[in-house]
């Protein structure tokens, strides 16, 4: 049927090359075969979801072939491999990415058109794989894309949550969380029921002397849970390398329910073990930059670390190399402190199971691990209570105490006069109860520690890890500034801009070497290029305006300045500063004469992002944004001059629509609090400008694109401590404009003032920890500068184009090459043959 359809189809088919036609026919046949056989559906009642499933399965088949070859090639060559351990992988959708990486999206588009579908509709059938909270999980996803695209022999290891990050609904202006059961149909994973690992919890440790007089520790009894591997292929861009992301799922070790209990009528408790085991990988903890110390979270961490290490060690042992070769074959990167238990676990395997001496084992451990720190916020630094550890992982606690003892002895020998230092750097915090400081354990057990942007990497050396710089010297610390994959964040999200760039640079090579973008600068004055660039931005804004209308019912003017802040809601990210600024603008518009109004560029302020379910202040910020939107959007007197939108359920696939449509985006954290930020990079790469503080990667973005192309404001990180001190001990007056904003809120202009009183009092009464009042004036003035700049569309356009051309540094390919060279010491492994279909 497909063949006959082709004969009557579009003109394009006749102009296509025979090879293209052949690929198209083959691909179409594969899609149809999957719809008819795998899904057992008739083509006559094939809907969009079946079209998605058929297309996804056809592409999956292609990935699997390259995936198998890649794994065989790696097994044969046995190079040093990288293992990226991350509790979060925020992958988003896979089909579009697979089609682009394989290089067959255009053909597939034509194919599904022939079947009567639009590719956009087919793609949007897929649910996001949302196994992450925000920047940390998305970084891990970008890194996987770069590792494969650059042909590094690499594996990702994570957890296969049954429920990813919750779906956010806004009901009467409040956030409501809905569970995200995303696994209904997931063609991108392969259960490996033959790859299982038994993971032990609880129990006790027995010590005895063996026949040679050596002390031996045995971890006995307790509970066993089984880890089952689920593998996801990760295709590289225009290469046959397809790496593996292995996610672990938990199930009861017996695999069966308790028959005895079942037969005696205790139906509920007969499935108890099973349910308890499955709970481990059931849900992603929905906190970003916040740790809560829950037992189940520690269980998740150990379950995943132990299963991954077992797998890594098993693979190494196949090569029959000596243990001292382990760090020459294996590099393990810890994405934050979440996988820190891998350190005592490897030490345990080496000494308890493989019989190595402590020192030899410890030297292997230290050479193997690298640790990436992503935050200096105290509330985000993981600590686990010693009693909880003792109960859940008794052997690991002993090992941690031994690691600490060796470390403190070393510190004492080298710093005999600084007695206080021991308490400061000890892995064990002498609090009530005692706590295990995971960041210290991660640092001590790794050979390199890196921050994620220059300022952040400097800050960790002067704040949380200051003493450790003295102990180990500065060379243990490195910076690897974050990056993003241009494949998803330009080529996929903004295909027209990607095509325009390719037309000027003579092809798509820049997607593999983003520094080539600099060649765009010579087109900055090219009339046709400018026109096309501007038209693309407008089309992207139209698309977002349409989405806003569909999802909120509000009509926005696509010619207005789109001002966007989308990211997790957090006080340190300061969405409250933004909405206070919006209120100030609203009040100012209301007070303006008609002449003044005419001069003002219309604005649409767009917010999006999830609040952790237990983070009340963050939820209050969302409800203030919604309440302000209600009033402003219905104020006829203001009309198009200002609209305020809260976009529900911000996620990766929505970001792909939102990011290309911005004129200005907001990256306005209190200086020194945002480690890097990565959406700042995405927005600039897509031809938007940014307003930001001197924080995280904003600083390096400024260095690259030039300070004339960015709107910076606010206090610097070196002044933050003094300013906070002044709030607590001095008499601080709130600036007049901000007071006006607070008055409007308190007078009930946006509904019941009590709902928002905590936001006001956090500034006025509780020390303004995030320095909203200190930065407000400069924030408002900078927005006035933006208004002025936007009126001059030609200069604005020049800034946008110049900035895109200078963003080459921020590719995640550059990050991965830096990690490979300075931390992992791994080399790419050329694939055996290039991807035939690309
Ligand atoms: O908050 C940071 C971001 O600044 C950064 O860009 C991202 C990736 O490095 O990681 C975020 N982060 C930090 N997420 N969780 C943490 C602390 O656990």
């Amino acid at each position: 049927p497909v063949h006959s359809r082709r004969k009557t189809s579009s003109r394009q088919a006749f102009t296509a090359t025979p090879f293209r036609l052949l690929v198209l026919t083959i691909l179409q046949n594969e899609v149809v075969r999957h719809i008819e056989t795998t899904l057992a559906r008739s083509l006559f009642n094939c809907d969009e979801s079946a079209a998605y499933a058929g297309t996804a399965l056809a592409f999956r088949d292609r990935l699997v072939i390259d995936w198998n070859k890649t794994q065989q090639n790696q097994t044969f060559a046995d190079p040093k491999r990288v293992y990226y351990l991350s509790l979060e992988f925020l992958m988003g959708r896979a089909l579009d990415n697979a089609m682009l990486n394989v290089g067959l999206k255009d053909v597939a588009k034509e194919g599904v058109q022939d079947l009567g579908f639009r590719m956009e509709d087919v793609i949007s059938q897929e649910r996001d794989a949302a196994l992450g909270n925000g920047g940390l999980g998305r970084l891990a996803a970008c890194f996987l894309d770069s590792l494969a695209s650059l042909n590094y022999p690499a594996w990702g290891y994570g957890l296969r949550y049954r429920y990813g990050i919750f779906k956010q609904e806004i009901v009467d202006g409040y956030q409501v969380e809905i569970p995200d059961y995303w696994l209904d149909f997931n063609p991108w994973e392969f259960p490996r029921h033959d790859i299982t690992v038994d993971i032990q919890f609880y129990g006790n440790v027995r010590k005895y002397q063996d026949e040679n007089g050596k002390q031996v520790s045995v971890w006995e009894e307790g509970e066993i849970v089984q880890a089952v591997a689920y593998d996801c292929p990760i295709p590289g861009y225009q290469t046959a390398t397809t790496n593996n992301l292995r996610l672990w799922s938990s199930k009861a070790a017996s695999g069966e329910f308790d028959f005895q209990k079942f037969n005696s009528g205790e139906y509920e408790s007969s499935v108890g073990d099973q349910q308890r085991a499955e709970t481990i990988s059931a849900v992603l903890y929905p906190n970003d930059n916040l740790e809560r110390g829950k037992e189940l979270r520690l269980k998740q961490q150990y379950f995943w670390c132990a299963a991954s290490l077992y797998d890594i060690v098993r693979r190494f042992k196949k090569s029959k190399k000596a243990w001292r070769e382990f760090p020459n074959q294996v590099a393990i990167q810890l994405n934050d402190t979440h996988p820190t238990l891998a350190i005592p676990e490897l030490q345990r395997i080496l000494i308890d199971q493989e019989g190595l001496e402590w020192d030899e084992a410890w030297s292997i451990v230290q050479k193997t691990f690298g640790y990436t720190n992503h935050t200096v916020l105290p509330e985000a630094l993981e600590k686990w209570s010693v009693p909880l550890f003792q109960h859940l992982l008794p052997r690991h606690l002993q090992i941690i105490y031994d690691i600490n003892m060796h470390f403190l002895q070393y510190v004492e020998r080298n710093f005999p006069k600084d007695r206080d230092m021991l308490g400061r750097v000890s892995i064990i915090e002498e609090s009530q109860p005692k706590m295990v400081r995971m960041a210290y354990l991660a640092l001590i057990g790794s050979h390199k520690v890196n921050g994620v942007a220059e300022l952040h990497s400097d800050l960790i050396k002067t704040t949380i890890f200051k003493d450790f710089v003295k102990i180990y010297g500065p060379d243990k610390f490195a910076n690897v500034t974050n990056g993003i994959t241009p494949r998803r964040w330009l080529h996929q999200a903004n295909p027209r801009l990607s095509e325009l760039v390719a037309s000027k640079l003579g092809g798509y090579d820049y997607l593999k070497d983003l520094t080539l973008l600099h060649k765009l600068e010579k087109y900055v004055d090219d009339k046709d290029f400018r026109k096309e660039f501007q038209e693309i931005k407008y089309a992207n804004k139209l698309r977002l305006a349409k989405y806003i209308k569909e999802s909120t019912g509000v009509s926005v003017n696509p010619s207005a300045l789109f001002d966007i802040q989308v990211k997790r809601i957090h006080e340190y990210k300061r969405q409250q500063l933004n909405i206070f600024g919006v209120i100030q603008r609203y009040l100012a518009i209301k007070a303006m004469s008609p002449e003044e109004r005419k001069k003002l560029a219309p604005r649409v302020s767009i917010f999006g992002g999830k609040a952790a379910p237990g983070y009340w202040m963050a939820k209050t910020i969302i409800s203030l944004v919604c309440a302000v939107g209600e009033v402003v959007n219905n104020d006829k007197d203001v009309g198009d001059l200002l609209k305020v939108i809260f976009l529900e359920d911000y996620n990766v696939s929505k970001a792909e629509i939102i990011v290309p449509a911005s004129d200005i985006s907001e990256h306005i954290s209190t200086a020194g609090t945002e480690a890097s930020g990565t959406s700042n990079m995405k927005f600039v790469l897509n031809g938007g400008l940014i307003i930001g503080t001197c924080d995280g990667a904003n600083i390096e973005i400024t260095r690259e694109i030039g300070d004339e192309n960015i709107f910076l404001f606010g206090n610097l990180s070196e002044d933050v401590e003094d300013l906070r001190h002044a709030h607590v001990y001095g008499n601080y007056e709130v600036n007049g404009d901000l007071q006006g904003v607070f008055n409007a809120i308190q007078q009930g202009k946006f509904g019941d003032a009590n709902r928002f009183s905590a936001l006001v009092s956090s500034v006025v009464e509780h020390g303004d920890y995030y320095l909203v009042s200190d930065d407000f004036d400069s924030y408002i003035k900078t927005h006035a500068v933006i208004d002025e700049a936007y009126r001059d569309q030609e200069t604005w356009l020049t800034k946008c184009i110049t900035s895109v051309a200078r963003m080459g540094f921020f590719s995640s390919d550059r990050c991965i090459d830096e990690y490979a060279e300075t931390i992992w010491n791994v080399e790419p492994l050329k694939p055996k043959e290039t991807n035939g279909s690309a």
Side-chain angles (χ1 to χ4, degrees):
V2 170
H3 203 75
S4 56
R5 230 182 270 262
R6 290 264 353 117
K7 283 183 187 155
T8 55
S9 104
S10 64
R11 200 170 54 83
Q12 251 180 317
F14 295 104
T15 56
T17 64
F19 178 68
R20 186 184 155 85
L21 199 58
L22 181 67
V23 174
L24 175 65
T25 311
I26 294 171
L27 192 67
Q28 254 183 345
N29 283 337
E30 285 167 12
V31 173
V32 171
R33 181 176 61 80
H34 276 298
I35 293 172
E36 290 185 334
T37 60
T38 318
L39 307 174
R41 299 275 295 253
S42 143
L43 267 194
F44 296 102
N45 70 8
C46 172
D47 56 11
E48 278 162 357
S49 80
Y52 160 69
T55 314
L57 289 166
F59 272 92
R60 183 179 87 159
D61 289 349
R62 280 159 189 270
L63 297 194
V64 168
I65 293 166
D66 283 344
W67 191 29
N68 284 335
K69 278 192 197 144
T70 305
Q71 299 315 317
Q72 278 164 18
N73 190 21
Q74 289 181 11
T75 305
F76 184 73
D78 200 20
K80 181 170 184 178
R81 293 171 174 91
V82 181
Y83 296 102
Y84 197 76
L85 267 58
S86 179
L87 208 40
E88 303 189 10
F89 287 96
L90 197 43
M91 304 297 287
R93 290 180 176 148
L95 174 60
D96 205 1
N97 181 248
M99 291 189 300
L100 289 168
N101 280 13
V102 167
L104 285 178
K105 184 169 176 185
D106 286 345
V107 179
K109 193 172 167 183
E110 209 179 314
V112 299
Q113 246 163 20
D114 271 357
L115 293 174
F117 300 99
R118 281 175 0 132
M119 187 50 106
E120 297 94 280
D121 301 331
V122 171
I123 287 171
S124 65
Q125 291 299 309
E126 184 175 350
R127 304 185 63 150
D128 277 32
L131 306 185
N133 278 287
L136 176 134
R138 185 53 232 176
L139 184 76
C142 285
F143 281 6
L144 290 183
D145 183 78
S146 287
L147 283 162
S149 299
L150 296 168
N151 301 313
Y152 283 104
W155 286 57
Y157 276 107
L159 271 188
R160 178 183 179 268
Y161 303 105
R162 210 163 348 119
Y163 296 92
I165 189 66
F166 61 86
K167 186 170 166 355
Q168 177 194 55
E169 282 184 10
I170 302 295
V171 178
D172 297 332
Y174 287 94
Q175 170 177 301
V176 175
E177 299 94 28
I178 314 287
D180 167 50
Y181 181 76
W182 68 290
L183 290 167
D184 262 348
F185 174 70
N186 178 13
W188 306 106
E189 65 171 12
F190 290 81
R192 304 283 195 203
H193 294 295
D194 53 327
I195 302 180
T196 62
V197 188
D198 282 351
I199 309 293
Q200 188 176 0
F201 292 103
Y202 309 108
N204 44 61
V205 182
R206 182 167 56 87
K207 284 191 191 284
Y208 67 93
Q209 289 207 336
D210 70 6
E211 57 276 19
N212 304 319
K214 190 177 168 191
Q215 268 266 354
V216 180
S217 298
V218 194
W219 182 17
E220 294 177 328
E221 295 169 352
E223 183 180 304
I224 304 286
V225 176
Q226 200 171 66
V228 184
Y230 283 71
D231 287 348
C232 314
I234 307 292
Y237 176 70
Q238 286 191 349
T239 168
T241 299
T242 300
N243 281 337
N244 195 23
L245 167 62
R246 178 158 285 177
L247 301 177
W248 298 104
S249 181
S250 60
K251 76 182 236 230
S254 68
E256 298 285 346
F257 58 85
D258 187 329
F259 268 107
Q260 263 178 359
K261 283 187 180 165
F262 185 79
N263 288 337
S264 60
E266 297 171 52
Y267 302 126
E268 277 170 25
S269 64
S270 69
V271 292
D273 280 357
Q274 223 173 355
Q275 282 173 350
R276 219 148 29 102
E278 287 172 11
T279 304
I280 293 179
S281 61
V283 279
L284 164 78
Y285 274 88
N287 301 320
D288 184 82
N289 268 294
L290 179 75
E291 288 305 326
R292 285 271 159 140
K294 292 266 193 280
E295 176 172 345
L296 181 61
R297 167 87 167 180
L298 188 59
K299 260 185 135 168
Q300 287 187 333
Q301 294 186 349
Y302 180 65
F303 171 82
W304 150 64
C305 289
S308 308
L309 266 185
Y310 183 91
D311 213 36
I312 294 167
V313 166
R314 172 169 62 188
R315 197 166 300 120
F316 170 76
K317 284 172 86 170
K318 275 196 204 153
S319 69
K320 307 244 183 304
K321 293 193 161 90
W323 277 110
R324 74 179 116 69
E325 290 296 317
F326 191 79
N328 300 328
Q329 292 296 106
V330 172
I332 303 179
Q333 192 64 26
L334 306 175
N335 195 25
D336 213 321
T337 52
H338 315 147
T340 303
L341 279 169
I343 289 172
E345 174 67 2
L346 181 57
Q347 181 73 0
R348 186 185 74 84
I349 293 171
L350 295 177
I351 59 175
D352 289 1
Q353 295 178 351
E354 302 294 335
L356 269 64
E357 294 301 327
W358 179 276
D359 287 346
E360 190 189 359
W362 186 241
S363 145
I364 291 170
V365 169
Q366 280 187 314
K367 286 181 195 151
T368 301
F369 287 101
Y371 156 50
T372 305
N373 173 281
H374 295 265
T375 188
V376 293
L377 297 186
E379 67 269 29
L381 294 176
E382 280 191 297
K383 288 176 190 173
W384 291 104
S385 103
V386 167
L388 173 60
F389 240 107
Q390 171 65 45
H391 180 56
L392 190 70
L393 301 166
R395 179 62 185 134
H396 294 79
L397 185 63
Q398 288 177 351
I399 291 173
I400 290 170
Y401 268 105
D402 287 346
I403 294 171
N404 200 32
M405 183 189 73
H406 284 95
F407 169 67
L408 292 180
Q409 282 171 352
Y410 173 82
V411 175
E412 199 167 27
R413 275 200 303 277
N414 287 281
F415 301 88
K417 295 200 184 104
D418 194 347
R419 300 289 309 166
D420 290 347
M421 190 191 260
L422 295 182
R424 289 201 305 270
V425 299
S426 171
I427 296 171
I428 308 297
E429 181 183 87
E430 294 297 324
S431 46
Q432 204 43 265
K434 290 185 178 159
M435 304 293 273
V436 182
R437 295 155 159 166
M438 301 304 269
Y440 292 4
L441 178 56
L443 183 153
I444 293 164
S446 299
H447 65 285
K448 269 272 179 333
V449 178
N450 74 285
V452 289
E454 277 175 16
L455 173 70
H456 170 66
S457 298
D458 287 344
L459 278 176
I460 60 176
K461 288 194 279 184
T462 52
T463 59
I464 53 175
F465 299 144
K466 188 171 168 195
D467 286 316
F468 293 90
V469 178
K470 284 192 218 146
I471 294 168
Y472 289 114
D475 289 351
K476 180 157 181 158
F477 297 84
N479 171 58
V480 183
T481 299
N482 281 344
I484 55 172
T485 167
R487 273 78 62 179
R488 183 173 293 257
W489 296 113
L490 180 53
H491 194 43
Q492 184 178 319
N494 202 343
R496 271 186 70 185
L497 184 57
S498 176
E499 200 185 327
L500 175 65
V501 173
S503 73
K504 295 298 172 204
L505 303 189
Y508 287 96
D509 282 358
Y510 77 93
L511 290 173
K512 290 215 110 178
D513 175 3
L514 202 64
T515 62
L516 294 176
L517 277 182
H518 77 88
K519 295 185 181 165
L520 272 188
E521 272 202 62
K522 70 168 183 272
Y523 297 96
V524 74
D525 295 322
D526 179 310
K527 253 173 85 187
D528 293 340
F529 180 80
R530 290 171 70 86
K531 185 162 166 276
E532 178 76 11
F533 190 98
Q534 206 165 25
E535 277 173 14
I536 291 169
K537 177 59 76 178
Y538 186 74
N540 289 333
K541 288 172 72 177
L542 260 182
R543 178 168 73 147
L544 179 59
K546 186 164 167 274
Y547 178 72
I548 291 173
K549 177 75 184 168
E550 281 161 12
S551 57
T552 68
V554 180
S555 302
V556 299
N557 173 5
S559 300
L561 188 161
F562 279 18
D563 171 349
I564 304 183
Q565 188 176 20
V566 282
K567 48 185 82 214
R568 285 298 287 248
I569 312 292
H570 210 299
E571 286 163 282
Y572 88 80
K573 295 181 189 279
R574 296 203 297 190
Q575 284 91 353
Q576 72 276 39
L577 174 62
N578 186 345
I579 192 64
F580 292 158
V582 170
I583 296 175
Q584 192 276 342
R585 176 172 289 261
Y586 175 61
L587 299 176
I589 293 172
K590 296 292 284 178
M592 275 180 192
S593 66
E595 284 69 39
E596 284 172 316
R597 288 183 181 202
K598 263 188 219 140
K599 282 193 228 146
L600 191 67
R603 269 221 190 198
V604 185
S605 273
I606 300 164
F607 295 77
K610 294 174 187 178
Y615 191 175
W616 183 74
M617 278 296 247
K619 289 181 148 179
T620 305
I621 294 173
I622 294 178
S623 57
L624 179 59
V625 172
C626 294
V628 172
E630 262 314 294
V631 172
V632 173
N633 300 343
N634 292 309
D635 189 335
K636 297 237 158 52
D637 173 45
V638 169
D640 266 1
L641 280 180
L642 184 62
K643 290 278 182 261
V644 182
I645 304 294
F646 189 88
L647 285 176
E648 214 170 54
D649 199 40
Y650 176 63
N651 61 13
V652 174
S653 53
K654 283 177 191 146
E656 289 165 20
I657 300 172
I658 296 167
V659 169
S662 88
D663 294 305
I664 277 284
S665 62
E666 309 239 356
H667 309 275
I668 57 176
S669 48
T670 313
T673 61
E674 187 72 275
S676 160
T678 40
S679 72
N680 40 10
M681 304 165 190
K682 295 168 196 166
F683 279 106
V684 180
L685 185 62
N686 280 279
L689 301 182
I690 66 185
I691 174 167
T693 43
C694 293
D695 201 17
N698 289 353
I699 296 172
E700 286 144 271
I701 292 177
T702 308
R703 188 182 65 204
E704 293 295 311
I705 68 176
D707 58 6
E708 69 283 14
N709 296 318
I710 186 167
F711 300 95
L712 290 178
F713 75 98
N715 284 284
L716 302 180
S717 74
E718 56 259 40
D719 299 322
V720 164
E721 213 175 305
D722 286 347
L723 291 167
R724 282 185 177 152
H725 191 268
H727 277 289
V728 178
Y729 297 102
N731 308 319
Y732 193 84
E733 289 274 305
V734 169
N735 145 298
D737 273 349
L738 185 58
Q739 190 56 58
V741 169
F742 290 165
N743 292 345
I745 295 173
Q746 279 159 339
Q747 285 155 11
K749 267 209 161 64
F750 308 105
D752 181 3
N754 291 323
R755 281 166 57 194
F756 314 119
S757 59
L759 286 176
V760 176
S761 59
S762 78
V763 176
V764 208
E765 289 168 42
H766 301 138
D768 193 10
Y769 189 75
Y770 298 101
L771 307 182
V772 169
S773 58
D774 302 88
D775 284 347
F776 190 75
D777 195 31
S778 128
Y779 179 64
I780 295 298
K781 286 191 174 127
T782 306
H783 266 300
V785 173
I786 291 170
D787 284 325
E788 193 55 34
Y790 195 68
R791 279 152 59 105
D792 179 358
Q793 278 291 298
E794 287 305 318
T795 315
W796 184 274
L797 185 58
T798 301
K799 287 180 194 294
C800 297
I801 296 172
T802 312
S803 300
V804 172
R806 297 178 182 174
M807 283 301 283
F809 178 74
F810 297 99
S811 167
S812 47
D813 295 349
R814 186 264 314 150
C815 303
I816 288 302
D817 279 334
E818 281 183 23
Y819 276 101
E821 202 182 314
T822 62
I823 301 179
W824 303 331
N825 192 24
V826 292
E827 301 277 342
L829 178 68
K830 275 263 164 289
K832 270 262 154 9
E833 52 200 83
T834 54
N835 190 321
S837 44

